[in-house]
Amino acid sequence: MVCLESELQDGQMKQIVVDENKILLVRNNGEFTAVGGLCSHYGAPLIKGTLVGDRVRCPFHGACFSTKTGDIEEFPGLDCLPTFKVKVEGGKVYVTTDKKKLTKRVKKMSSRVPGVSHTVVLIGGGPASLQCAETLRQNEYGGRIIMVTKDEQLPLDKTKLSKAMNIEIEKVLLRQNDFLKEHGIEVWTKKEVKSVNTEAKTLTFKDGTSQHYDQLLISSGGRARPLQCPGAELKNIKFLESYKDATEIYQMSAGNKAVVIGTSFIGMEVAAYLSDKAASVTVIGNSKFPFQSSLGSEIGKMTMQMLEEKNVKFYASNGVAEIRGENGKVKEVVLKNGEVLPADIVIVGIGVIPNSDFLKETSVEIDSRNAVVVDKFMKTNIPDVFAAGDVVSFPLPLVGHKRVNIGHWQLAQAHGRIAGLSMLNQQVAINTVPFFWTMLLGKGIRYTGYGEGYTEIVFKGSTEERKFLAFYIKDEEVVAAASMNFDPAVARLSEMLLMGKRITKAQAQSDDLSWLQLP
């Protein structure tokens, strides 16, 4: 017996341990179900998350799972939860396992069927491509799947690279080679697309080879925005785009003077990670505070103070006029205000440009910001050509289907799933709420919604205490929220926004947050 029937009411959950398995026991409409208790993404305890109907949302990064089937319904994460048998007898609840310790369950997938010549080519080795490939196999697609990437490795969890730059490759691989081979997913590494002929349905690569496709996914991501100033070509100026970049930045920075240009997510995470490894870390930003446009001044000021406590020095409302070198390597950075900073390495994180240049000679629609335009099914304007991830501009239901380009890991996976279903003529429209996170010095900030154009921020708690919930207000409504040490508030808000619930400024300002239904 794990509990009495009377211990759980409808809409409640409880964590139990059976045969070393952490299990989430849920009661809904009088029925008990049991699934794995740890999120398949990074292992967060789902008991700390939010339960809405028959699904639970992870408090850390927003992944959602069915409490009936264990299937993953919202990303990030690739795998489902294991399910366990539940029996109720004489007012007592029993849960049985098969004695194995299970934390994840791979959704059933097919492999390639011999003799089927139909070919899907996926450009890019990120989460959108991988999710598309797995969605195809989960839906019994038997053709050939080829993923082409200019990276040297199999698909990686690149979100870890700015937070733990010295991480072992095995800890960032999304799938092992054996897994990909088992399910007939070919990955061609160090392979870059030069051009696409959508009429002949062929790709030409920079190495001179070509490949036919029947259906194509453009999920080529984005590239780092280049630094434009005298000296930008010097050695030891680094951009974080790959596992190799992360390793080199770590090695070049250890015990040396590191200068970081940019105060958004990459720049701040890199600065935080290097704060106890480099001899000194200096951050240059063009705004008064980090994250100012995305998270606001108060949260930006708090993150700045967190890093300053670790001896990171900031030059805010500033910029780089010139980088000077010696023997071809960086020696110092000259700021626009004339100050000169000694530097052994410069790390640049000043934005991303969608990777769509190889499509210039095609009729694929590209917007003014270089993003590939897709509809709600992730289809481009060209038949059999789909696009997903950081490279696309897509209609976001949350803002009345206005087209947006958002570089979030969770969204890329959601796009990949929809694209895979569309390739199989399963018309499922994209319907997801953006969710992202950052980790600085062991403290996590979660964010959900779409806050562009917000006019006001309403705080619960305080940034001084580093425990807060921030509501972003536009037109008297909550359009986004961010938090630190306030779980599962952002996960709960994400569910409410997904369900189309209107949250007013008055609700956000109220001292009574019972409408959020926090534990």
Side-chain angles (χ1 to χ4, degrees):
M1 184 189 84
V2 293
C3 73
L4 293 171
E5 189 178 0
S6 58
E7 282 182 51
L8 273 190
Q9 303 303 311
D10 276 348
Q12 290 184 332
M13 54 185 178
K14 175 186 175 78
Q15 183 175 283
I16 57 173
V17 179
V18 181
D19 297 326
E20 296 186 17
N21 286 293
K22 286 184 179 176
I23 295 172
L24 192 72
L25 182 67
V26 176
R27 183 173 183 173
N28 246 326
N29 299 321
E31 180 189 359
F32 285 86
T33 56
V35 294
L38 302 177
C39 180
S40 67
H41 180 226
Y42 287 173
L46 294 173
I47 189 66
K48 293 184 178 178
T50 183
L51 179 68
V52 178
D54 288 325
R55 75 185 215 160
V56 62
R57 184 181 281 266
C58 173
F60 287 8
H61 308 122
C64 292
F65 304 89
S66 164
T67 56
K68 283 191 168 183
T69 65
D71 286 353
I72 188 164
E73 295 183 349
E74 276 276 339
F75 306 105
L78 288 163
D79 294 325
C80 303
L81 303 176
T83 56
F84 303 93
K85 291 175 185 171
V86 183
K87 184 172 71 174
V88 181
E89 272 183 6
K92 295 176 180 178
V93 181
Y94 300 86
V95 175
T96 54
T97 75
D98 56 6
K99 306 296 183 188
K100 292 178 187 171
K101 191 176 180 186
L102 295 171
T103 56
K104 298 178 182 180
R105 173 177 60 84
V106 176
K107 205 169 188 178
K108 189 181 176 187
M109 282 192 240
S110 63
S111 188
R112 191 175 176 198
V113 176
V116 177
S117 62
H118 190 279
T119 301
V120 172
V121 177
L122 315 170
I123 301 175
S129 276
L130 184 59
Q131 188 61 53
C132 181
E134 295 201 9
T135 299
L136 289 170
R137 291 295 187 226
Q138 286 161 6
N139 287 273
E140 299 183 349
Y141 172 70
R144 188 180 185 190
I145 299 176
I146 305 169
M147 188 187 302
V148 294
T149 172
K150 61 183 179 183
D151 287 344
E152 295 178 13
Q153 288 86 17
L154 297 174
L156 302 179
D157 183 348
K158 288 189 177 179
T159 65
K160 291 181 177 178
L161 297 183
S162 52
K163 302 172 181 72
M165 308 185 78
N166 197 32
I167 196 167
E168 298 163 33
I169 188 71
E170 289 299 312
K171 291 181 179 174
V172 284
L173 282 177
L174 290 168
R175 291 297 196 200
Q176 299 294 326
N177 196 32
D178 289 349
F179 178 96
L180 296 166
K181 281 185 175 176
E182 179 188 347
H183 298 292
I185 300 169
E186 299 175 46
V187 182
W188 297 356
T189 56
K190 303 181 194 173
K191 200 87 166 167
E192 192 168 355
V193 177
K194 181 183 178 184
S195 62
V196 180
N197 184 330
T198 57
E199 290 180 7
K201 291 193 168 182
T202 55
L203 304 177
T204 301
F205 299 101
K206 289 196 173 175
D207 62 9
T209 59
S210 61
Q211 173 62 45
H212 169 79
Y213 68 83
D214 291 291
Q215 289 175 305
L216 178 68
L217 180 74
I218 300 159
S219 45
S220 42
R223 64 184 181 277
R225 190 175 292 281
L227 187 63
Q228 294 183 322
C229 67
E233 74 292 337
L234 287 165
K235 286 182 184 174
N236 290 21
I237 296 178
K238 300 294 293 179
F239 298 85
L240 179 53
E241 296 184 291
S242 67
Y243 180 79
K244 185 182 177 187
D245 291 337
T247 305
E248 289 179 355
I249 290 169
Y250 169 77
Q251 290 169 346
M252 289 180 186
S253 300
N256 286 321
K257 296 182 280 291
V259 172
V260 178
I261 303 173
T263 53
S264 196
F265 296 93
I266 295 290
M268 288 294 283
E269 287 176 359
V270 167
Y273 179 74
L274 295 177
S275 63
D276 61 351
K277 298 167 185 72
S280 66
V281 179
T282 306
V283 180
I284 303 162
N286 57 17
S287 55
K288 188 177 180 183
F289 298 113
F291 306 116
Q292 193 162 316
S293 61
S294 56
L295 299 178
S297 298
E298 294 95 329
I299 295 174
K301 183 180 180 183
M302 174 200 74
T303 62
M304 193 173 180
Q305 288 169 342
M306 286 168 64
L307 268 64
E308 284 174 338
E309 288 165 13
K310 297 292 180 181
N311 299 314
V312 174
K313 187 165 177 58
F314 283 84
Y315 287 84
S317 303
N318 218 315
V320 177
E322 180 189 357
I323 299 178
R324 295 174 184 158
E326 194 172 80
N327 301 322
K329 285 186 179 179
V330 168
K331 188 183 182 190
E332 53 194 23
V333 176
V334 183
L335 300 182
K336 285 183 176 173
N337 67 357
E339 287 189 70
V340 179
L341 311 176
D344 300 307
I345 178 173
V346 173
I347 304 111
V348 184
I350 54 174
V352 174
I353 301 167
N355 269 330
S356 63
D357 291 357
F358 62 93
L359 297 168
K360 277 183 178 168
E361 291 175 23
T362 72
S363 301
V364 174
E365 187 183 352
I366 311 284
D367 72 8
S368 59
R369 296 176 61 195
N370 245 41
V372 178
V373 177
V374 293
D375 66 10
K376 61 186 177 182
F377 304 114
M378 311 315 292
K379 295 177 179 179
T380 69
N381 60 314
I382 303 295
D384 293 320
V385 178
F386 305 78
D390 295 6
V391 75
V392 305
S393 175
F394 76 102
L396 181 65
L398 192 63
V399 289
H401 303 279
K402 172 189 166 189
R403 289 189 186 282
V404 295
N405 171 243
I406 306 174
H408 295 346
W409 191 263
Q410 161 259 343
L411 274 176
Q413 268 195 274
H415 290 168
R417 175 178 172 269
I418 297 298
L421 293 172
S422 289
M423 287 177 176
L424 299 169
N425 291 317
Q426 295 183 33
Q427 300 290 298
V428 178
I430 186 78
N431 184 25
T432 188
V433 172
F435 197 113
F436 71 84
W437 65 95
T438 186
M439 184 66 75
L440 300 170
L441 305 169
K443 299 277 189 187
I445 297 175
R446 333 239 185 257
Y447 180 101
T448 192
Y450 186 72
E452 189 176 275
Y454 74 87
T455 52
E456 188 180 349
I457 306 177
V458 174
F459 278 92
K460 301 294 170 187
S462 73
T463 52
E464 287 80 15
E465 292 173 24
R466 294 176 191 172
K467 181 177 181 177
F468 64 83
L469 172 61
F471 297 103
Y472 295 81
I473 312 294
K474 182 181 178 183
D475 299 330
E476 300 295 308
E477 283 189 27
V478 174
V479 292
S483 76
M484 178 182 275
N485 291 320
F486 222 97
D487 290 335
V490 166
R492 176 73 193 158
L493 268 156
S494 198
E495 278 296 284
M496 294 177 75
L497 291 170
L498 187 63
M499 291 188 290
K501 292 195 174 177
R502 181 174 180 264
I503 306 161
T504 65
K505 176 181 171 181
Q507 282 176 285
Q509 288 175 322
S510 170
D511 291 333
D512 179 9
L513 287 182
S514 59
W515 56 270
L516 251 181
Q517 297 175 8
L518 297 177

